[in-house]
Amino acid sequence: MTPLFTALDVEKHYVVGTDPRAAWFAARKPRLLKALDGVRLQIAEGESLALVGESGSGKSTLVRLMLGLEPASNGRLLYRQADVSQFDAAARKTFSREVAFVYQDARGSMNPRQRVRSLLAEPMLLHDLCSDSQVNERVDRLLEQVGLSQELAERFPAELSGGQVRRVAVARALACEPKVIVADESVAGLDVSMQAQLLNLLRGLCRERGLTLIFITHDLGVASYLCERIAVMYLGRVVEEGPTTEILNRPMHPYTRGLMRAFPSFSRPLAASLKGEIPSPIDLPAGCRFASRCPQATPDCVDVDPVLKPVAGDRSVACILAV
Ligand SMILES: Nc1ncnc2c1ncn2[C@@H]1O[C@H](COP(=O)(O)OP(=O)(O)O)[C@@H](O)[C@H]1O
Ligand SMILES: [Mg+2]
């Protein structure tokens, strides 16, 4: 089986502290922030994968690189064995039709002066998916699929509620008949019933159409409801990956266990969160980057930087104590 997406030791570095407007920073030297530091990941066609981890772990950066919106500093990102940074114009157009992105900020991703009808028609016309005379009918069908009434087609994004705007964002992603949906925190900040509705919608669509789903969330409950596999990220790396049920029944990385204690279930409120905060990705520690917060850390953990290793049950983990 050839994977749909492959991340091969992907690194993304940003130079920070060079803002010329910040004169008071003059004494500070530019420093390297490692947003991604050796990500290895494979996603098979038709699979649903949740990328989970605290804010700042590199989830959004990884997705931006997967979509070819920014180049990697090192390593490669492949889509169907082709490097996303090397696409020619034709390959990029095919890619943009096959892989749809639902932005973290759904409202901000829409042109405020475009009505819903035109927002949904745009991708269909761009990719020649239907003739001008068929567009209206297809827009109406899309709205119906995401559970919105057809009257909303004549509204502007500002005239929609938070839940409606996210549905329009999902409809817009579906408009180009994609094979893959990549969604960044698409239900975060919604109330629980709205979250559940949107998650049901996404789950149904993916199952009906055999779509591949890559879903970013910091909520393990959401991840377990929606996705067959989970990749847990911490400080720019995948630290544990595998089938959702295996990982939740038997988490092997202490960070995954910490996340599970922090977010025990979809329906229950947050319990005590992880000890301490995610450290800065500038000046990363030499050994395991989770050692400073790990309740099981041994002296070896401070010296040895654990690599992501395959273990039984089609899963992998980066912890010297787990293997
Ligand atoms: N364009 C950028 N310039 C500098 N630092 C960035 C940039 N984008 C992301 N970062 C940093 O990279 C790290 C990972 O960010 P991000 O991918 O947004 O994490 P997540 O989506 O998991 O919250 C953070 O420390 C963030 O501040
Ligand atoms: Mg993010």
Side-chain angles (χ1 to χ4, degrees):
M1 177 214 65
T2 52
L4 193 65
F5 274 105
T6 310
L8 293 171
D9 295 315
V10 172
E11 297 180 14
K12 181 67 187 178
H13 304 162
Y14 294 106
V15 179
V16 291
T18 52
D19 187 346
R21 290 165 298 181
W24 59 89
F25 270 14
R28 229 173 106 171
K29 290 204 182 71
R31 293 204 283 177
L32 213 55
L33 181 153
K34 296 185 174 176
L36 298 177
D37 190 28
V39 170
R40 264 178 231 177
L41 194 63
Q42 288 195 342
I43 302 159
E45 188 149 21
E47 200 167 76
S48 49
L49 175 87
L51 283 176
V52 301
E54 286 163 288
S55 181
S57 51
K59 307 180 296 294
S60 297
T61 304
L62 177 60
V63 160
R64 283 200 304 278
L65 266 56
M66 281 170 66
L67 296 170
L69 301 175
E70 282 180 55
S73 309
N74 280 307
R76 296 172 73 205
L77 279 145
L78 311 180
Y79 177 69
R80 300 190 192 280
Q81 311 290 73
D83 193 317
V84 296
S85 65
Q86 311 280 315
F87 284 157
D88 58 18
R92 173 136 301 282
K93 191 166 180 198
T94 308
F95 180 77
S96 74
R97 192 177 84 67
E98 290 189 358
V99 183
F101 187 35
V102 183
Y103 286 86
Q104 185 159 12
D105 174 12
R107 204 184 293 275
S109 72
M110 294 173 196
N111 180 347
R113 282 180 288 278
Q114 249 179 316
R115 291 183 198 275
V116 169
R117 181 172 302 286
S118 131
L119 284 166
L120 297 183
E122 202 172 56
M124 299 176 194
L125 297 172
L126 181 73
H127 293 289
D128 292 320
L129 296 175
C130 63
S131 65
D132 289 0
S133 59
Q134 295 170 315
V135 164
N136 279 338
E137 194 199 316
R138 285 179 71 131
V139 167
D140 290 345
R141 206 163 355 122
L142 265 182
L143 286 171
E144 193 187 313
Q145 275 164 0
V146 299
L148 290 174
S149 90
Q150 292 174 2
E151 301 144 50
L152 293 183
E154 308 315 323
R155 295 211 194 154
F156 291 101
E159 297 165 344
L160 302 172
S161 73
Q164 286 169 339
V165 105
R166 309 238 191 164
R167 281 167 192 261
V168 171
V170 172
R172 193 158 195 244
L174 293 173
C176 55
E177 297 173 1
K179 296 188 161 60
V180 187
I181 291 189
V182 183
D184 193 348
E185 303 274 9
S186 295
V187 298
L190 291 176
D191 64 57
V192 174
S193 72
M194 188 59 76
Q195 269 199 20
Q197 283 179 24
L198 210 61
L199 291 174
N200 281 332
L201 171 69
L202 275 172
R203 194 158 87 154
L205 285 166
C206 290
R207 291 198 174 161
E208 268 164 39
R209 303 181 184 194
L211 297 179
T212 306
L213 177 69
I214 301 167
F215 195 87
I216 297 188
T217 175
H218 57 264
D219 187 328
L220 271 176
V222 168
S224 72
Y225 179 75
L226 204 56
C227 297
E228 298 149 10
R229 294 183 78 85
I230 289 184
V232 181
M233 288 189 70
Y234 187 73
L235 271 183
R237 283 206 191 148
V238 173
V239 295
E240 177 155 22
E241 199 270 334
T244 303
T245 43
E246 298 268 331
I247 291 198
L248 297 187
N249 287 334
R250 206 164 56 89
M252 293 175 94
H253 200 287
Y255 180 60
T256 313
R257 287 197 285 272
L259 275 184
M260 284 179 67
R261 275 196 302 275
F263 304 100
S265 128
F266 187 33
S267 51
R268 269 178 279 161
L270 300 189
S273 71
L274 273 156
K275 186 180 75 171
E277 274 183 27
I278 188 165
S280 158
I282 305 173
D283 303 328
L284 286 166
C288 173
R289 50 201 63 196
F290 186 59
S292 62
R293 295 168 81 193
C294 182
Q296 276 106 47
T298 65
D300 279 348
C301 298
V302 184
D303 297 328
V304 183
D305 187 5
V307 293
L308 189 65
K309 279 198 184 139
V311 288
D314 189 23
R315 51 193 291 193
S316 41
V317 60
C319 172
I320 55 168
L321 303 173
V323 192

